[in-house]
Amino acid sequence: MRLLIIGELEGQIGAATKIARGRGAKVTQAPTIEAALIALRGGQGADLVMIEAKADIASLVNQLEAERIIVPVIACGVHSDSAVAVKAIKAGAKEYIPLPPDEELIAAVLEAITEESHAVIHASLPMKRVLELGDQVAGSEASILITGESGTGKEIIARYIHRKSKRANNNFISVNCAAIPEALLESELFGHEKGSFTGAVARRIGKFEEANNGTLLLDEISEMDIRLQAKLLRAIQEHEIDRVGGTKPVKVNLRIIATSNRDMQQEIKKGTFREDLYFRLNVINIHLPPLRDRKEDIAPIADHFIAKYTKANGTPERTLSATALEKLSRYSWPGNVRELENIIHRAVLLATGKEITPEAITLPNMPAETAVTENPNTGEATNTANKNELVGRTVESVERDLILDTLNYCLGNRTHAANILGISIRTLRNKLKLYGEEQNPDDQQKKTG
């Protein structure tokens, strides 16, 4: 993990740096906020920024947001100064670490940032075959396309391949093509020169240059606008990119891994994805089966998340009861592993005894006490709730309630909600913006009725 320290390294923040290095983090230092921004714009990259609480954290956070540099900020300060801690959190810091530094606390923060990048938990034969294929192709330089439904763990497999590759000691850079607005994605990938567009306050190195000599993951590549796909194809073919507003090409040397939750052949037929780019990316295809087709993985993955969230929430250690596991095994898992994580997180909080029982497991659109039955024709789990209540409502109204209920079920996590709903983060964001601007038609009827 790459940690950027802002501030002088003497004293207690220097001690925090030593702890981070001891835990395997790659630590760099910038004496000022401006120096840190220059480093980040220049392609140095960071997974976490640690800054003294007395610094102007609001200015740093605002500038990172303005320049679309996505990196969490952690504040450090003297433990007895609670006012400084509150001010730092209000300014935009994600966490506050008291000084002198506690080794276990810093380790926990680092683990929270990195753990999802490393865990490949499985017990099923299909996933064993996926990892065997990953091992086989990791040492090559071939581009890889990882396909599968949302939430199956495509990015985790991409990181697994990177760690097994010849480029393992260099950067692994991930870009979510669905989460970045189309107008900004070109700059995010290829960088830009100062003044090339409104808001370009300085030269910014893009993800291609940041991943130089390493691996670049293009997550949900099928969401990329087809006009930008042509520039991406050229970058892959020529091993060079053009910064937005730049006057000369920049050579790059990296490996491309892409992911998609769509049927790429159908996207090509619809004209939304270039066939020549598909062939460039799909030298090796790794398909991740959905969780419903590898139910042997449910138990070990659930155990992993139980351990994670009991520790994170300070709750007593718990195990999953046999009846609870049976309930999980009979569900169809439209949101796959990400949905399982959310359900286990909620179950850890709702459980009361040493075991997590079926009563603590609430599946979407099904109260905890509702019996789970299996459709004999499809083998998928259903519930006995009365669906006639949907009759008479508009599609827009039902869709709105489904989206909002799913977001609430996911504890506000938009990524998890989008995966369960089977839509992109961009689509979810647009829907929520629409709901914020328009009044619910049902509520309008109640007021006029």
Side-chain angles (χ1 to χ4, degrees), residues 354-368:
K354 293 182 178 180
E355 281 192 327
I356 294 176
T357 61
E359 290 74 25
I361 295 175
T362 305
L363 301 176
N365 302 317
M366 184 188 345

Side-chain angles (χ1 to χ4, degrees), residues 3 15 43 51 55 77 83 108 114 146 151 166 227 246 287 321 323-324 341 349 379 386 399 411 413 417 420:
L3 174 63
I51 185 172
T114 60
I146 304 175
K166 301 171 185 176
R227 292 168 295 182
H287 181 74
S321 72
T323 51
E341 177 179 6
L349 299 176
N386 183 8
E399 179 188 69
L411 307 176
N413 189 309
I420 292 174

Side-chain angles (χ1 to χ4, degrees), residues 313-381:
N313 293 286
T315 57
E317 292 186 6
R318 293 190 170 100
T319 58
L320 189 67
S321 72
T323 51
L325 176 58
E326 182 183 1
K327 181 174 183 177
L328 294 175
S329 299
R330 293 170 66 86
Y331 182 54
S332 60
W333 299 109
N336 293 292
V337 177
R338 284 203 182 114
E339 185 179 12
L340 175 59
E341 177 179 6
N342 191 75
I343 284 173
I344 294 299
H345 187 181
R346 185 181 292 269
V348 164
L349 299 176
L350 294 179
T352 55
K354 293 182 178 180
E355 281 192 327
I356 294 176
T357 61
E359 290 74 25
I361 295 175
T362 305
L363 301 176
N365 302 317
M366 184 188 345
E369 66 274 9
T370 301
V372 183
T373 59
E374 186 172 290
N375 186 320
N377 297 320
T378 65
E380 293 187 357

